[in-house]
Amino acid sequence: SNIPQLNIVEEEKEQKPGMLDALTLDVTVQANNQIFVRGWGLDAEFGGKIAVTGTASTPQFNGAFTSRRGRFEEFGKRFKLERANLQFQGSIPPSPYLDIEATTPVGDVTGSILLTGSAQSPSIKFASTPSLPEDEVLSRILFGKDSTKISPFQAVQLAQTIRRFSGEGGGGFDPLDAIRS
């Protein structure tokens, strides 16, 4: 015989606010300097102020940290941190808005890496003084020479680096990266 199926309806329970919703936050963290950030090629000192408000379950972070000094190492070069501003505005996880410029002298040009936007989806650009196209700036940073004077192997490496930083490349097996390592 068939077992009849019962339609079970559960009584909705009234949701009470949790303990974390009852805790109101009003914390200010201020450090004029000595906030050290080290890793992934970065060695920098920051200072600033952040206010944490809201409730413990939904905290809000507002404020900024600004670099006092710093350097960044990438592409086998050392870059001076000209400016690094981290602007916090929002909830967990705190994802700061970035405004970072790092420069390095490359022959008669000063190459710059510009990192802007949110930390979750940053925009990376390359600039120089005097002004050159981005691919030319990257060629000077990577190889120390004009893009018309690089080898075919270096041209492939330059194209892959441009693709990686434009968000089109990355992932998968990179034979050039294996050789560099």
Side-chain angles (χ1 to χ4, degrees), residues 22-39:
L23 289 171
T24 303
L25 301 173
D26 187 10
V27 177
T28 300
V29 176
Q30 181 170 348
N32 294 332
N33 54 20
Q34 295 187 355
I35 298 173
F36 297 100
V37 178
R38 293 186 180 109

Side-chain angles (χ1 to χ4, degrees), residues 26-94:
D26 187 10
V27 177
T28 300
V29 176
Q30 181 170 348
N32 294 332
N33 54 20
Q34 295 187 355
I35 298 173
F36 297 100
V37 178
R38 293 186 180 109
W40 292 335
L42 179 67
D43 181 9
E45 178 183 4
F46 287 84
K49 179 178 174 181
I50 291 185
V52 183
T53 58
T55 65
S57 64
T58 57
Q60 297 291 311
F61 294 80
N62 293 296
F65 287 130
T66 303
S67 64
R68 303 296 183 239
R69 62 164 189 83
R71 66 178 184 260
F72 176 67
E73 293 184 21
E74 182 64 54
F75 309 119
K77 305 267 189 234
R78 178 175 280 187
F79 292 82
K80 178 182 177 194
L81 211 56
E82 295 294 334
R83 75 172 182 275
N85 300 311
L86 310 175
Q87 182 75 37
F88 292 88
Q89 198 170 2
S91 59
I92 288 281

Side-chain angles (χ1 to χ4, degrees), residues 9-170:
V9 177
E10 291 188 28
E11 185 177 327
E12 288 187 31
K13 295 179 182 175
E14 183 180 320
Q15 285 196 349
K16 297 178 185 174
M19 188 170 115
L20 293 179
D21 291 324
L23 289 171
T24 303
L25 301 173
D26 187 10
V27 177
T28 300
V29 176
Q30 181 170 348
N32 294 332
N33 54 20
Q34 295 187 355
I35 298 173
F36 297 100
V37 178
R38 293 186 180 109
W40 292 335
L42 179 67
D43 181 9
E45 178 183 4
F46 287 84
K49 179 178 174 181
I50 291 185
V52 183
T53 58
T55 65
S57 64
T58 57
Q60 297 291 311
F61 294 80
N62 293 296
F65 287 130
T66 303
S67 64
R68 303 296 183 239
R69 62 164 189 83
R71 66 178 184 260
F72 176 67
E73 293 184 21
E74 182 64 54
F75 309 119
K77 305 267 189 234
R78 178 175 280 187
F79 292 82
K80 178 182 177 194
L81 211 56
E82 295 294 334
R83 75 172 182 275
N85 300 311
L86 310 175
Q87 182 75 37
F88 292 88
Q89 198 170 2
S91 59
I92 288 281
S95 179
Y97 180 84
L98 308 172
D99 178 24
I100 300 171
E101 179 182 12
T103 62
T104 189
V106 186
D108 58 343
V109 172
T110 299
S112 299
I113 298 175
L114 306 169
L115 184 64
T116 58
S118 74
Q120 293 174 337
S121 59
S123 168
I124 300 172
K125 295 194 183 308
F126 299 93
S128 68
T129 305
S131 183
L132 296 170
E134 278 189 283
D135 59 337
E136 184 65 31
V137 174
L138 194 52
S139 174
R140 302 259 180 133
I141 290 172
L142 288 174
F143 312 115
K145 52 187 160 183
D146 186 304
S147 63
T148 60
K149 297 178 181 168
I150 61 177
S151 71
F153 180 75
Q154 290 172 325
V156 169
Q157 185 179 8
L158 177 62
Q160 285 187 329
T161 303
I162 290 170
R163 285 189 57 208
R164 187 179 75 192
F165 283 108
S166 67
E168 296 172 17

